[in-house]
């Protein structure tokens, strides 16, 4: 098994559970595999496929996922093909023949197509294993339910002797049980790996208004020159606005949301996968079909509605295991809006609870990773050291006077105002509605002039989270004082607020970069964890990789992952032999790319 792993995939050891899973499959037993995105699920069925006689049939929900997997396998010299609606009849004819001859090691197939072929092609082939990828699609409890998947039941009926492995990154218990039941898995072993993604850095920025977000995003991207990332936004409109802003600063960006037609969506996805644009601004519609391993960062422009969504979205960064950054903006406006959605959703209790847990994550002053893993039922006993709280624990100060000013203003308006009016009163701003109501005559009018507007928004969010105020969603979002707020208002209790830190500077509006030619990667620098790595060499190798990718019409990360490229730049192999030792280089890639890379390194060193 290890030999095969090295020969075909170029890796020296298995990740936790992979070996057990593979043994189990080779013993022809059923299994359910739960691993986070990037955990290494594919190898669990690809290695048995190589080691077994016949063909492994992989059911996959999306053409783009199949394409990516097939290209990756072929790039490692493994004969894989896909059968789906993207094929024409001639292709299918050839493919059928190859399947019957037993040439195809892995056949990726859509669920619809699988059903069509159940009594024809599949009956005449020698099938070693059925792998059901994204198996949560079978369950109504999962978040990507696909009716076609429910018919996969018939696999067990038609092929009782072939083992089945179901794989998913969705951890919850109901979904798990549902998958086992619906696929009729026989005494399956359930393999659950840790859901920790230690390479993902977690950061939250609280209370940023649009301008601050813009500034912070530009600064963030400046810290990630040339590295691809996703910005998730709550609305279609926002994706376009953010993209427009980035383009203005010379950052190549595309947009993806459900309002675009299929062609435009495909193009956006394709541009992103092939490193033709650096950033995609997207709604949650984006991501399921993305196996791109070199997404280096994910920003949430708005807070997601649950930890599940959040974890899935940030999980799209760093699949190759290299350090990647995630940044979440969290503001009062988002919270109000999301609460309203939850209340109107028809499943108020559960959705509010989910939102509540998300909010706790965003507000946490303990290690954020502990909160995430705890949410997924995993106990983590130490702080992670790779989140903003671990790196920079929040400081608190006695903010009782600030809180009292706000509460007093709310009280003096008979709790009939929302946040904007409250801040206007505190800051002493005049405007028509305020003076009409006589709020400029209140004793608290202008009492908080010394605190900037933005900071007021932050403190109000903190007050909300500490339970001093609540938002009456059914009363125009007016603010109400809670019993614990009353205690602070009357000086019976202290309010310890978190010190606000804002470190971002405004980057200069950049010189617009010219669109670069296809054959060059559009980016020109790299900031990976680069101990001992020569950036110039890495850059040269990256250009070489992009050229090879363009020549073959496949994405650069399929030629070599960022991680492997990174290792090459550190180890600087100058012989074919040494090149083949680099993790991620199997026999096939050694033969195919060894010479050009070794040559490039030799030239560089000279
Ligand atoms: P998943 O399908 O679970 O999201 P993948 O199967 O795509 O994850 O694997 C993620 C990355 O990890 C891929 O680049 C893969 O080549 C790599 N990988 C998988 N197993 C190993 C291993 N044993 N050693 C090193 N890298 C691995
Ligand atoms: Zn931490």
């Amino acid at each position: 098994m290890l030999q095969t792993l090295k020969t075909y995939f170029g890796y020296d050891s298995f990740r936790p559970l992979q070996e057990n899973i593979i043994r189990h499959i080779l013993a022809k037993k059923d299994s359910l595999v739960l691993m986070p995105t990037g955990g290494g699920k594919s190898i669990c069925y690809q290695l048995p496929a190589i080691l077994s006689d016949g063909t492994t049939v992989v059911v996959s929900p999306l053409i783009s996922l199949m394409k990516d997997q097939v290209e990756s396998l072929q790039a490692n010299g493994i004969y894989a093909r896909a059968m789906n609606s993207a094929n024409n009849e001639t292709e299918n004819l050839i493919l059928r023949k190859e399947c019957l001859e037993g040439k195809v090691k892995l056949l990726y197939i859509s669920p619809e197509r699988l059903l069509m072929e159940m009594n024809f092609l599949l009956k005449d082939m020698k099938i070693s294993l059925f792998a059901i990828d994204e198996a949560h699609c079978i369950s109504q409890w999962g978040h990507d339910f696909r009716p076609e998947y429910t018919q996969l039941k018939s696999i067990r009926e038609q092929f009782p002797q072939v083992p089945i492995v179901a794989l998913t990154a969705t951890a919850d218990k109901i979904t798990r049980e549902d998958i086992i039941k619906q696929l009729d898995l026989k005494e399956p072993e359930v393999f659950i790996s840790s859901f920790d993604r230690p390479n993902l850095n977690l950061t939250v920025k609280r209370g940023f208004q649009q301008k601050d977000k813009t500034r912070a995003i530009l600064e963030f991207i400046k810290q990630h020159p040339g590295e691809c990332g996703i910005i998730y936004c709550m609305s279609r409109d926002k994706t376009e606005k953010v993209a427009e802003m980035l383009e203005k600063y010379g950052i190549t960006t595309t947009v993806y949301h459900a309002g675009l037609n299929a062609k435009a969506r495909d193009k956006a996805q394709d541009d992103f996968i092939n490193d033709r644009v650096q950033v995609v601004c997207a709604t949650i519609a984006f991501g399921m079909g993305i196996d791109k391993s070199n997404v280096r960062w994910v920003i949430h422009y708005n807070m997601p509605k649950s930890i599940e969504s959040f974890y899935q979205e940030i999980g799209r960064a760093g699949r190759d295991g290299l350090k990647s950054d995630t940044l979440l903006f969290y503001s009062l406006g988002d919270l109000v809006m999301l609460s309203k959605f939850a209340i109107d959703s028809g499943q108020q209790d559960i959705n509010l609870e989910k939102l509540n847990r998300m909010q706790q994550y965003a507000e946490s002053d303990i290690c954020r990773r502990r909160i995430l893993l705890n949410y997924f039922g995993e106990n983590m006993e130490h702080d992670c050291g790779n989140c903003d709280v671990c790196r920079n624990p929040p400081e608190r100060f006695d903010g009782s006077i600030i809180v009292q000013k706000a509460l007093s203003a709310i009280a003096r308006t008979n709790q009939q105002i929302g946040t904007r009016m409250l801040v206007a009163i505190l800051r002493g701003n005049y405007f028509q509605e305020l003076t009409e109501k006589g709020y400029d005559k209140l004793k608290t009018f202008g009492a908080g002039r010394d605190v900037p507007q933005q900071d007021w928004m932050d403190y109000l969010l903190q007050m909300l989270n500490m339970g001093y105020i609540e938002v009456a969603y059914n009363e125009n979002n007016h603010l109400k004082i809670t019993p614990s707020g009353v205690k602070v208002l009357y000086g019976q209790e202290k309010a310890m607020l978190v010190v606000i830190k804002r470190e971002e500077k405004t980057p200069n509006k950049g010189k617009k970069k010219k669109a670069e030619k296809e054959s060059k990667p559009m980016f020109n620098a790299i900031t990976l964890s680069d101990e001992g790595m020569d950036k110039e060499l890495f850059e040269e190798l990256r250009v070489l990789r992009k050229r090879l990718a363009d020549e073959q019409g496949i994405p650069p990360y399929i030629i070599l992952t960022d991680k492997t490229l990174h290792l090459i730049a550190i180890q600087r192999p100058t012989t074919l032999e040494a090149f083949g030792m680099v993790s991620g280089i199997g026999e096939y890639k050694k033969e195919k790319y060894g010479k050009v890379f070794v040559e490039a390194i030799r030239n560089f060193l000279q």
Side-chain angles (χ1 to χ4, degrees), residues 5 11 13-15 18 35-43 69 293 319-320 561 583:
L5 182 71
Y11 299 132
S13 59
F14 286 105
R15 292 205 180 136
Q18 282 180 333
M35 275 188 193
T37 313
K41 286 185 283 298
S42 320
I43 280 180
Q69 294 268 347
S293 71
R319 272 167 176 262
D320 52 16
T561 63
S583 172

Side-chain angles (χ1 to χ4, degrees), residues 483-494:
S484 25
V486 171
K487 285 188 194 147
V488 178
L489 183 58
Y490 294 119
Q492 292 153 355
E493 249 165 48
K494 272 204 265 183

